Amino acid sequence: MIEVRNLTKYYGSLCAVNGVSFTVGDGEIVGFLGPNGAGKTTTIRILTCFHPASAGSATVAGHDVFTESMAVRARVGYMPESVPLYVEMRVREYLRFRGKIRGLDRDTRERSIARVTERCWLTDVIDRPIGHLSKGYRQRVGLADALLHNPPVLILDEPTIGLDPTQIRATRALIRELAEDHTVMLSSHILPEVEATCRRLIIINKGQIVASGTPAELRERITGGSKIIVEIKAPAEQAATAIRKLDGVRAVETHADGDWCSLAVSSDSDRREAIFRLAAQHDWPLRELRRDVATLEDFFVKIVAGARDAHSVAHTTGDQQR
């Protein structure tokens, strides 16, 4: 549904996007992540036909963003982080105005307004001026606008910013529901939110893709496999020696605390069942046995820091050669 190949964008001598390539399949929810200045917004603006690229290619719903921009715009619902709204208009009036711009006839327009205001929880404020609404409600108006023409592709930039926790949960459920009929590309700085919503993640830093995969795959990369935390009533070294003999166990770190000891077990697979059987065999009481899972935030910080360090080394080496 979205296909990007070697996309590059220069602002003067500054390379904001450098040879980016990725695809988003039909019905996918893909998170597009990166630190400030990474190139996320520039990429999104190219895909939504706000900015031209310097090189490369991109298609959305089968249409080229450079040569068929009007066809792309008709098939994309775009919600920017700072939603540009006419604050003097009432919500219904604004959505009617947007529907007319999108070429919806009167009956279709009114049905669409009824549909999106219900989906975006705007029914109670439909006749209020936008300027009197909170930021959270304005975000909902922006989302309703993006959904108004029922596009096959939705590109949402920080869709939950300004919402309270209940509204965030509802928005998360709505985005997952929308994937049944739409392809969704979601950009956000709220990493747990992205992890809970998106099936696949693309991380960009300094204009280049530095990681891609499912949340589980990315978490696995930072841990290098599984890490199991064990709290057991047993001699620390005896327990560690026995666990090291299990298949797939690479390392065991121990910490004794009286009769109890804590062990951090690094392994190539989940060995909790084997550890439980081992404890039962030796009659060692277990107080804790869990798999330690890295967070998406851990991976994000590590991958971005690694890319930054590599960039610094490359610049230092270049300076030394000169």
Side-chain angles (χ1 to χ4, degrees):
M1 190 59 74
I2 300 175
E3 186 170 348
V4 176
R5 291 286 176 264
N6 300 314
L7 200 65
T8 301
K9 175 65 177 178
Y10 279 92
Y11 294 104
S13 60
L14 174 66
C15 185
V17 177
N18 186 9
V20 164
S21 297
F22 62 86
T23 59
V24 180
D26 189 14
E28 271 197 296
I29 307 176
V30 172
F32 194 49
L33 311 178
N36 291 331
K40 300 188 306 298
T41 299
T42 297
T43 302
I44 286 173
R45 286 176 177 171
I46 292 172
L47 292 178
T48 51
C49 304
F50 280 85
H51 286 177
S54 303
S57 64
T59 60
V60 177
H63 296 275
D64 191 294
V65 300
F66 310 121
T67 61
E68 301 174 276
S69 65
M70 296 307 293
V72 170
R73 293 171 196 234
R75 290 161 176 80
V76 171
Y78 174 43
M79 176 184 168
E81 179 180 355
S82 299
V83 182
L85 300 170
Y86 292 104
V87 295
E88 70 277 7
M89 284 185 168
R90 299 179 187 275
V91 175
R92 190 194 305 275
E93 181 185 9
Y94 175 76
L95 293 176
R96 281 175 176 165
F97 165 70
R98 295 292 293 167
K100 288 178 183 178
I101 289 178
R102 296 189 183 280
L104 302 180
D105 62 60
R106 181 174 180 177
D107 290 342
T108 303
R109 189 166 62 242
E110 293 305 314
R111 286 196 303 269
S112 296
I113 290 172
R115 170 176 53 84
V116 299
T117 52
E118 181 179 355
R119 267 193 152 178
C120 298
W121 316 284
L122 289 168
T123 305
D124 292 341
V125 298
I126 186 69
D127 291 312
R128 288 180 58 184
I130 293 173
H132 294 177
L133 302 180
S134 67
K135 184 173 184 179
Y137 270 109
R138 294 188 192 195
Q139 287 294 108
R140 295 192 231 176
V141 173
L143 182 57
D145 179 19
L147 293 170
L148 192 61
H149 58 304
N150 199 28
V153 178
L154 291 171
I155 298 179
L156 311 177
D157 195 357
E158 301 285 355
T160 60
I161 192 168
L163 302 183
D164 63 39
T166 301
Q167 294 163 353
I168 288 174
R169 281 191 174 190
T171 302
R172 183 194 306 168
L174 173 59
I175 291 171
R176 286 196 293 262
E177 178 187 326
L178 290 172
E180 297 176 5
D181 304 306
H182 308 266
T183 296
V184 182
M185 186 171 173
L186 168 67
S187 177
S188 177
H189 286 95
I190 307 174
L191 299 182
E193 198 63 38
V194 174
E195 189 171 13
T197 306
C198 300
R199 301 169 189 172
R200 186 162 61 90
L201 308 175
I202 299 169
I203 300 179
I204 186 172
N205 188 41
K206 296 188 181 299
Q208 295 181 310
I209 302 296
V210 293
S212 177
T214 67
E217 289 169 346
L218 298 186
R219 286 197 305 268
E220 200 74 10
R221 282 177 58 180
I222 194 173
T223 58
S226 300
K227 180 171 282 189
I228 299 165
I229 305 301
V230 184
E231 193 172 1
I232 194 169
K233 192 174 185 179
E237 284 308 315
Q238 184 180 349
T241 300
I243 291 174
R244 286 189 187 102
K245 294 178 181 178
L246 297 174
D247 291 341
V249 172
R250 298 194 310 273
V252 179
E253 301 173 14
T254 63
H255 175 71
D257 183 14
D259 293 336
W260 292 84
C261 65
S262 298
L263 303 98
V265 182
S266 299
S267 64
D268 296 325
S269 59
D270 189 349
R271 305 301 296 161
R272 283 177 292 179
E273 186 177 345
I275 292 171
F276 175 80
R277 288 199 302 265
L278 183 67
Q281 178 184 337
H282 289 83
D283 199 24
W284 292 334
L286 273 172
R287 192 155 63 184
E288 183 177 19
L289 178 61
R290 63 178 172 87
R291 191 180 184 194
D292 190 27
V293 180
T295 65
L296 181 59
E297 183 176 351
D298 294 331
F299 179 81
F300 182 84
V301 170
K302 182 176 181 179
I303 197 71
V304 169
R308 187 183 301 117
D309 293 343
H311 183 75
S312 299
V313 169
H315 271 274
T316 302
T317 303
D319 291 342
Q320 290 173 347
Q321 289 175 347
R322 285 194 291 272

